[in-house]
């Protein structure tokens, strides 16, 4: 981990999470294939604080600056990744990949069976990125109400259903 460190998220990280996510979401706003697709607003600092309070989120820092995070919360015996974001100025340094791997190690050591998430199926830094890190698409959401709810919420926000998918990484 050259040039950055990771730690467990702290209550005071929520405002920085909001700023980092908002910055990283500009990539979606600028993605040509999403022209005309409404990009939902990013999570508020209050929403991030609620996820951080569940004790499973990780923060990436360069010096004392928060530059990325993995916001996750339990969903039964699975850990659901609500958001993985890295500030654009720090992308390409393997911070996101390291956050994801650290989250998997922590989840496995804590007894979780898998990590789940919802994402864009066809955006290179979404589903293809997660697939390179051991995630597979969930074909049937039955039995995973948190994934079904997240998918329904995405659709209600105007995201195209055919471009969204749920993914899972089993932690054998």
């Amino acid at each position: 981990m050259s040039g950055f460190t990771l730690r467990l998220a702290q209550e005071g990280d929520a405002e920085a999470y909001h700023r980092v996510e908002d910055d990283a979401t500009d990539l979606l706003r600028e993605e040509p294939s999403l022209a005309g697709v409404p990009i939902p607003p990013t999570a508020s600092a209050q929403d991030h604080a609620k996820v951080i309070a569940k004790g499973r989120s990780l923060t990436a820092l360069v010096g004392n600056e928060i530059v990325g995070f993995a916001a996750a919360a339990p969903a039964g015996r699975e850990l659901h990744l609500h958001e993985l974001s890295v500030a654009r100025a720090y992308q390409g340094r393997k911070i996101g990949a390291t956050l994801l791997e650290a989250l998997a190690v922590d989840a496995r050591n804590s007894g979780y069976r898998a990590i789940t998430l919802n994402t864009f199926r066809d955006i290179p830094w979404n589903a293809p990125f997660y697939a390179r890190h051991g995630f597979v698409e969930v074909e049937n959401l039955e039995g995973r109400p948190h994934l079904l709810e997240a998918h329904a919420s995405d659709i209600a926000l105007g995201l195209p259903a055919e471009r969204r998918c749920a993914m899972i990484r089993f932690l054998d």
Side-chain angles (χ1 to χ4, degrees):
M1 282 194 312
S2 175
F4 64 95
T5 59
L6 301 183
R7 65 163 166 75
L8 190 61
Q10 300 171 356
E11 183 179 332
D13 293 350
E15 186 61 45
Y17 276 28
H18 172 70
R19 285 191 307 274
V20 167
E21 181 184 6
D22 201 44
D23 176 59
T25 300
D26 281 343
L27 288 173
L28 289 176
R29 293 181 189 109
E30 297 165 2
E31 169 58 34
S33 73
L34 293 176
V37 173
I39 303 301
T42 56
S44 68
Q46 293 80 12
D47 291 335
H48 281 299
K50 289 175 188 173
V51 175
I52 289 170
K54 305 219 185 245
R56 308 293 346 156
S57 299
L58 299 174
T59 300
L61 302 107
V62 171
N64 292 323
E65 180 185 3
I66 294 174
V67 300
F69 65 90
R77 301 242 1 239
E78 297 172 350
L79 191 62
H80 186 70
L81 180 60
H82 291 274
E83 182 66 32
L84 176 70
S85 284
V86 176
R88 290 189 302 166
Y90 294 93
Q91 291 179 0
R93 300 181 189 189
K94 305 230 181 271
I95 295 171
T98 304
L99 279 163
L100 201 53
E101 290 308 310
L103 189 67
V105 168
D106 183 56
R108 184 181 304 111
N109 289 342
S110 298
Y112 291 96
R113 296 181 323 181
I115 298 173
T116 61
L117 58 90
N118 291 72
T119 194
F120 278 102
R121 175 178 279 119
D122 56 346
I123 303 293
W125 61 92
N126 282 205
F129 166 81
Y130 292 111
R132 289 192 303 275
H133 293 279
F135 285 80
V136 295
E137 190 169 338
V138 178
E139 299 293 331
N140 182 354
L141 300 182
E142 198 172 305
R144 290 195 166 84
H146 66 287
L147 293 177
L148 194 56
E149 288 171 26
H151 185 71
S153 176
D154 289 346
I155 305 318
L157 291 170
L159 297 177
E162 68 280 0
R163 295 190 67 187
R164 299 293 293 170
C165 69
M167 299 185 83
I168 191 165
R169 175 178 171 180
F170 293 99
L171 303 171
D172 302 305

